[in-house]
Structures are given as C-alpha cells and as structure tokens.
Amino acid sequence: MAHLLSSDSDTTPIAADDDEVLSSSSGEDDGDGDSSAPDDFELDAAVGEARAYNWGRKTVLRAGRGQSWEKPATGDEVSIETAEIAADEEDEPALEATTFTLGERFPDGVRKGIETMKAGERARLTLRGGATYLVELVNFREVRSLAGGRVVKTTLATSASGGVPRPPWEVVLAVRLSLADGGACVAERDDWTVRLGDKAARPRGLEVAARAMRLGERARVKIDAEYGFGAAGDAALGVPPGAALVAEVTLLRWRRIVHLSRRHP
C-alpha cells in the first residue's frame, strides 16, 4: 500500500533476507554517505597552461571555482559568454552571453571543451581544423534524466558536503509539490520522508530523485504521471488523474539503515 512517512514516525519494517536484521540511526551526514567525487577525474590545468585533447586544445585564461570534478555534462543547462576569434588574435573581443542545453548548440569540440571547464573559468578553445573560441563558463545547472526520462532533476543549489545516501536509507526532504499544468501547489512539507528503494512510495519520482541528490542539494524535479500518482491521481491532494508534477526538493538529512548479519562465525 502506498504511504508517506513523517520524520517522527516509527521506522516502517522492510523485507530482509533471513540472515539479516535492520538497525537504524538518525542524524546529519557524518561522512558515511557515498562521496560525490568520481573514481577518476581530470585535475585542473593551471592558468596559462595549454592542454591537448582529441578534439583540439584548451588554454586556461582564468581559473574556475569548485572541485575538479564539478564540471558540466551533455544535457546540462549552461550559461556562457563566448566569441569565435582568429587563432592568433590577442585582443579580447566582446563576448556574447547565452544559455542553452549543452550539446544542442556550437560545434562538438566546443561542447567537449566546456565539459572540461569549471564555473567561472575562462579559456581559449582551439578545435581541430583551426576554429578558435573564447569561452567563459558563467554557471551551469546539472540536469539528470532518470527512470528513462520520466523523472528529470535539475540542480538549483549544491552543498559542499557532497555525501549521497544509499538504499535502503530513509531521507527527509523539504518538498513543494505542484501540478506541471498550471503550477497549482498541492503539497508543501519540510518533513517528507522516503525510504530509498521503496517502489510503493508516492509520488515515486521523489524517491528516484532523492537517490541522485547530495546532502543539502536543492533541485527542481519534473515527474511524469507514471512516477507521480498515476492514472488515479490523488483526490485528497487535488491531483487529477494522469497529472504530471513539478517539485522543488531539498535533501535535508537521512537516517542510515544498516543490515546486520545474524550469522556467527
């Protein structure tokens, strides 16, 4: 049966293997969450350094901010200032500001070059063939398509802690849930608790999005009807049948659920 948990409710039992029991502990992140740093990432180039890639060459003109792995990926929303320049041009031209989905504009080499940049970084991108672009990555928002595109998460604000919860932990979210068609708010709570991995959670899109969020992250989540309240809707909340949803979500904290073996050596 679908249900929503509140932050002060008792932990709802979930199925466990015969040789396991569950214990839980609550509180803020203490470093036990998965790190947001990937196993392999490129270290930042120094200002003035030219680095060769298969698409061309990047020369860093101004360092960016953030961690070395905090760089945009194809599909993210990026804001840049840019101009195409002559390869030997020394004077800095006027730059044109634009915001777009990375991968939908500019030559592929520019996309790949932007993917090596951090927010605030300015660089000269020289593509194979000689075309050269002066690019400043003003900012970007991480956009992740989840559940086959039925849930789309756009990061609005990140947190330096970077920890990521793991199933079957419980997460506590601040949620403002609205109808995608018309934007009417149907629910707003700062104690929306979800068990990660609970396929009966409604709307399921919040559980899917939470698994991809970092502690302290705020995100806009678009949820299609299948991962919302389905064909039935939710009359109590005022959600019509088959309605798509939009949620603004902040991952506030989590409760770790640890599997303990009953077996003894």
Side-chain angles (χ1 to χ4, degrees), residues 33-62:
D34 288 340
S35 170
S36 61
D39 293 332
D40 56 338
F41 59 90
E42 182 184 37
L43 294 175
D44 298 331
V47 173
E49 179 182 347
R51 187 171 289 181
Y53 297 87
N54 59 8
W55 51 265
R57 185 176 69 254
K58 182 183 83 168
T59 303
V60 177
L61 304 179
R62 186 174 69 205

Side-chain angles (χ1 to χ4, degrees), residues 1-5 12 198-202:
M1 181 177 66
H3 61 277
L4 295 176
L5 304 175
T12 303
D198 180 6
K199 295 183 179 180
R202 292 294 181 270

Side-chain angles (χ1 to χ4, degrees), residues 249-260:
V249 182
T250 303
L251 176 51
L252 300 176
R253 59 188 182 275
W254 58 60
R255 177 183 297 169
R256 299 190 303 277
I257 307 296
V258 181
H259 291 268
L260 303 176

